[in-house]
């Protein structure tokens, strides 16, 4: 029997449904995969993906980190400057500014904010039937971030709908669609208005801190962020910080319904929660891939990736690479985390700025869910997945708490 042609299409149902079988074949049969349909390359083995994330000289972020933007071929620095689209030295300067704002102490100080938002949405759930994503894991993380930023509470869910629209993709749709474009513009206008308000009237929030912070520019001069830079960063935080936590905790509900024994273990020993968060990041990375533009010809596994190509670094595959992990496809919250570098929160200079907040939110959410639903069941037939650019996970997970 001849094998089906190996096709990895990040804008297909195969990807939206979790392309783990495709990734396995890519690792085995085409460790440097080339898509003739979309003209990109992809790395899937842990030993290739991890060093590529670190090698910013070869794999640049400055042309965008999604296929459509990189294909435009324009350095993103000509537009609003977002840290995730920067290479050093700009990246280093921006990161050191943000590190002053995202200190471990500042994140720890968000605990009350996180608990408030989690309890607010948990208290509204009907134990006899609720949708874990729509009613819980989607609304709370965006409210954590927007509260931190200083966005009025009544606008938080609007921000989430803008982000959802911005990331949504139909099958076969590579480019940003009209609705996504409109959402991006509406969101930018909304944030620009808030920045102006904070300039006029400072408050104790992240927007005000960003307005006041100083950074060193490439020419060595000290400067403040301009309105567009702050608005762009605020949109990034929503996309990078809210969608991902939503997916991680949504995946948790689904996975623990399949592994009730591990749920019970964790219920009895809450110190296992941190291992569970890491395993969820590994097993189904909410951010499946980030794309880079390679800045020189790369020779790898007998293939040459020509300079200027979009290269997918697929953390979602590297985290399941059987060459790096024992029983890579087994979900096990007690697994030895020292086996390999978990790439779920990125790696290298762009590794997640909000990692501490992501872990805090996910841990508290799991802890409270353990109390709220000691035993539960999921209607697996009614679970549906999102269709998004780079983010993977569930859109609907119907749950019933068992008494
Ligand atoms: C489970 C939750 C999260 C996951 C899985 C996640 C994942 C990631 C990944 C994979 C990257 C690397 C991107 C790249 O290399 O191009 C990243 C970067 C980033 N994340 Fe997160 N993230 C999460 C939560 C958060 C939160 C809560 C925040 C905000 C408070 C945040 C803010 C950022 C920012 C600003 C960057 C860019 C950093 C840079 O370019 O230096 N993330 N994240």
């Amino acid at each position: 029997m001849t094998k089906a042609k190996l096709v990895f299409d990040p804008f297909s149902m195969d990807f939206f449904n979790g392309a783990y079988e495709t990734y396995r074949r890519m690792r085995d049969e085409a460790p440097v995969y080339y898509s003739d349909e979309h003209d990109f390359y992809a790395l899937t083995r842990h030993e290739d993906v991890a060093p590529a994330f670190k090698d910013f000289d070869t794999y640049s972020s400055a042309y965008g980190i999604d296929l459509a933007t990189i294909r435009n071929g324009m350095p993103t620095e000509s537009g609003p400057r977002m840290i995730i689209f920067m290479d050093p030295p700009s990246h280093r300067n921006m990161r050191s500014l943000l590190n002053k704002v995202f200190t471990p102490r500042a994140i720890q100080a968000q605990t009350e904010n996180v608990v408030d938002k989690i309890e607010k949405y948990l208290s509204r759930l009907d134990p006899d039937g609720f949708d874990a994503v729509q009613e819980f894991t989607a609304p709370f993380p965006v409210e954590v971030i927007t509260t931190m930023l200083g966005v009025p509470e009544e606008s938080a869910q609007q921000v989430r709908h803008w982000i959802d629209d911005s990331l949504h993709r139909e099958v076969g749709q590579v480019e940003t669609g009209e609705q996504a474009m409109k959402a991006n513009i509406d969101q930018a206008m909304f944030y620009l208005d808030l920045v102006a308000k904070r300039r006029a009237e400072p408050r104790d929030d992240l927007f005000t801190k960003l307005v006041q912070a100083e950074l060193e520019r490439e020419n060595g001069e000290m400067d403040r962020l301009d309105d567009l830079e702050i608005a762009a960063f605020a949109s990034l935080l929503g996309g990078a910080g809210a969608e991902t936590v939503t997916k991680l905790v949504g995946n948790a509900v689904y996975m623990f319904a399949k592994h009730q024994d591990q749920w019970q273990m964790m219920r009895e020993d809450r110190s296992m929660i941190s291992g569970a968060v890491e395993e969820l990041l590994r097993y189904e990375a909410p951010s499946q891939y980030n794309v880079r533009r390679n800045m020189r010809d790369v020779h790898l596994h007998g293939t040459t990736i020509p300079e200027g190509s979009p290269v997918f670094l697929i953390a979602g595959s590297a985290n399941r690479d059987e060459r790096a992990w024992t029983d890579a496809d087994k979900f096990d919250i007690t697994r030895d985390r020292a086996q390999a570098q978990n790439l779920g929160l990125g790696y290298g200079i762009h590794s997640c700025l909000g990692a501490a907040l992501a872990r805090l939110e996910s841990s508290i959410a799991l802890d409270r869910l353990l109390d709220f639903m000691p035993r539960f069941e999921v209607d697996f037939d009614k679970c549906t997945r999102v269709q998004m650019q780079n983010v993977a996970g569930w859109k609907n997970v119907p749950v019933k708490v068992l008494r």
Side-chain angles (χ1 to χ4, degrees), residues 85-96:
F85 300 146
M86 289 177 182
D87 289 339
S90 323
H91 179 269
R92 195 162 36 242
N93 296 341
M94 185 64 90
R95 184 93 184 197
S96 70

Side-chain angles (χ1 to χ4, degrees), residues 53 61 65 82-86 91 95 98 102 107 145 148 233 236-237 240-242 244-246 248 281 285-287 290-292 315 343-347 349-355 357-359 361-362:
F53 267 116
S61 296
I65 57 166
M82 269 196 212
I83 183 169
I84 206 159
F85 300 146
M86 289 177 182
H91 179 269
R95 184 93 184 197
L98 293 173
F102 278 76
I107 299 306
I145 302 265
M148 206 174 156
F233 180 66
L236 171 64
L237 280 192
T244 46
V245 175
T246 295
L248 185 116
L281 281 166
S287 163
N290 298 104
V291 194
R292 302 291 193 249
L343 303 178
L345 288 165
Y347 190 44
I349 61 167
H350 288 283
S351 73
C352 183
L353 179 74
L357 184 61
R359 291 188 167 110
E361 287 183 52
S362 308

Side-chain angles (χ1 to χ4, degrees), residues 31 62 67 70 79 91 107-108 176 228 231-232 245 294 301 363 371:
L67 182 60
I70 296 178
H91 179 269
I107 299 306
Q108 217 44 49
T176 312
L228 269 180
V245 175
N294 73 326
H301 302 297
S363 304
D371 291 334

